[in-house]
Amino acid sequence: MMDISLRVQLEHGQHKTQEKPGYVVKNFFFYCLFRFAAALGQEIFYITFLPFTYWNFDPYVTRRLVGVWAMVMYLGQASKDLIKWPRPLSPPVVKLETRVDAEYGMPSTHAMAATAISFTFLIATMHRYKYSFVLGLMASTVLSTLVSLSRLYTGMHTVLDVICGILLTAILMGLTYPFWNILDYFQLTSPLTPVLAVVVPCLMSYTYPALDHYSPTRGDTTTILAVASGGTVGFWVNYQYGQTYEPTGSLPFEIPSITPNVALIAIARFLIGIITLVATRFIVKILSLKILCAWFNVSEHDMEARKRLEIEVPYKFATYSSIGFVAIVIVPLLYQLLKL
């Protein structure tokens, strides 16, 4: 499919012929382009891009990105396990990814996430910063289109999966847009925010639609909700202490010039932030797994035990809510300490 030909290897000396689908890359430009685009819908992108916008751009925009991303991804992931439409068969398609192959396919959450992030960023900035709306619209369209097409190229979704993902995201954003500012004000000012931000996502993770076979969807959904939970508590804490880190002045803001000095500071902030998040993930994951496995009397190295609801949900929630909180509260304090 799309410049990738199917190669079938035959095992000899057996009564049954065993097929092992492989692929030969004929066009490295498309292969690299769509593999890169597919990565924009994965955890590595979320754990870098979303914090980057908070650390180096505008927390106002980040809050909207996190809220819309979490809402869209939860509904998309849950829809997969309610609709239960399988992914495309291989063969005839060639699947370039294996981790999420056990998941159902309808709708494409890569297409949903790309559409949500691209157009939320556009909507949140178009009246806040001085830039060409047409160029912003083109950039948002190109990014979301590339990620959506990558799901076809990698053999992970049908055209219908992708189209439904985009339409569902558009409907959700259209319905919620009038309330973005109201919800943002509530999450920053309400004394209920810390409780609601932890309890509601936690309950949503535990009550995720029952799986008829194990797949990463529940764990991935818990990860997303946990990041949003920790981030929301962090937004609230920063606001209470007057540390919103938002740009000041009259709207619309000028987009700052990217000088060598500005670029170096941004890179330094990003590297320090990512190292801190990786360390947080490592420490909290180990501790939470040790506690949970001891509590349920299973081995920490038992990968099947980690898939159980009572272990998977709390360890992922603890790990990634900590990452969200550290990214929003602790990392900016490190910048102040290091005078960055």
Side-chain angles (χ1 to χ4, degrees):
M1 173 179 193
M2 293 183 71
D3 298 306
I4 295 181
S5 64
L6 182 64
R7 180 178 64 212
V8 178
Q9 301 172 335
L10 302 179
E11 298 288 339
H12 299 288
Q14 298 180 0
H15 295 294
K16 276 191 173 180
T17 301
Q18 183 180 6
E19 295 184 354
K20 294 184 178 180
Y23 57 88
V24 176
V25 178
K26 292 184 175 179
N27 189 313
F28 280 93
F29 173 75
F30 283 133
Y31 178 79
C32 294
L33 175 66
F34 289 118
R35 291 289 277 177
F36 172 76
L40 298 180
Q42 296 171 356
E43 177 187 356
I44 187 64
F45 176 71
Y46 305 140
I47 209 171
T48 53
F49 175 74
L50 293 175
F52 183 88
T53 62
Y54 192 87
W55 300 333
N56 291 306
F57 184 55
D58 189 343
Y60 170 94
V61 176
T62 307
R63 294 196 300 270
R64 282 150 181 77
L65 287 172
V66 170
V68 174
W69 167 68
M71 172 192 67
V72 163
M73 289 298 288
Y74 176 80
L75 291 174
Q77 294 282 77
S79 295
K80 286 183 178 183
D81 287 309
L82 290 173
I83 298 173
K84 300 182 186 299
W85 283 17
R87 291 184 182 273
L89 293 176
S90 175
V93 304
V94 181
K95 293 186 178 180
L96 306 188
E97 297 177 11
T98 57
R99 179 184 174 273
V100 295
D101 194 28
E103 294 182 5
Y104 291 109
M106 171 65 79
S108 168
T109 46
H110 271 71
M112 293 182 72
T115 303
I117 288 177
S118 299
F119 286 93
T120 298
F121 190 89
L122 174 68
I123 293 169
T125 58
M126 63 184 183
H127 297 305
R128 190 169 174 84
Y129 289 90
K130 294 179 181 178
Y131 67 88
S132 169
F133 174 77
V134 174
L135 290 179
L137 180 61
M138 289 174 59
S140 300
T141 303
V142 168
L143 177 61
S144 57
T145 300
L146 277 177
V147 175
S148 298
L149 289 177
S150 76
R151 307 317 289 158
L152 304 179
Y153 184 87
T154 55
M156 302 310 294
H157 285 287
T158 65
V159 174
L160 186 60
D161 295 342
V162 170
I163 291 175
C164 287
I166 294 171
L167 289 177
L168 180 57
T169 303
I171 291 170
L172 290 171
M173 290 180 64
L175 291 175
T176 59
Y177 173 69
F179 306 101
W180 286 6
N181 288 337
I182 297 172
L183 292 173
D184 186 51
Y185 180 78
F186 178 84
Q187 76 169 337
L188 293 178
T189 60
S190 173
L192 297 176
T193 294
V195 176
L196 293 176
V198 174
V199 173
V200 173
C202 194
L203 288 175
M204 291 169 71
S205 299
Y206 271 103
T207 58
Y208 185 82
L211 305 177
D212 54 11
H213 67 280
Y214 182 79
S215 76
T217 48
R218 184 181 62 207
D220 290 347
T221 305
T222 301
T223 296
I224 292 164
L225 292 175
V227 169
S229 171
T232 299
V233 175
F235 297 144
W236 182 85
V237 168
N238 284 347
Y239 185 83
Q240 302 310 305
Y241 287 93
Q243 301 288 348
T244 60
Y245 305 108
E246 292 185 17
T248 56
S250 57
L251 297 174
F253 301 127
E254 295 281 353
I255 296 178
S257 301
I258 303 177
T259 62
N261 186 54
V262 169
L264 285 174
I265 292 175
I267 292 170
R269 289 163 66 96
F270 178 72
L271 291 176
I272 290 169
I274 290 300
I275 291 170
T276 306
L277 297 189
V278 170
T280 301
R281 181 181 184 274
F282 178 78
I283 294 169
V284 179
K285 181 178 179 180
I286 288 179
L287 290 176
S288 58
L289 279 174
K290 280 185 178 295
I291 294 170
L292 287 165
C293 290
W295 180 266
F296 291 104
N297 196 27
V298 297
S299 169
E300 298 172 38
H301 307 292
D302 186 344
M303 301 308 293
E304 289 303 312
R306 291 190 187 188
K307 296 177 182 179
R308 289 161 50 179
L309 172 70
E310 64 270 23
I311 293 179
E312 181 181 53
V313 168
Y315 105 74
K316 283 186 175 288
F317 198 90
T319 300
Y320 288 93
S321 60
S322 298
I323 287 175
F325 184 82
V326 168
I328 302 305
V329 177
I330 306 301
V331 172
L333 292 177
L334 284 177
Y335 296 156
Q336 293 181 12
L337 183 65
L338 298 172
K339 301 189 184 304
L340 288 173

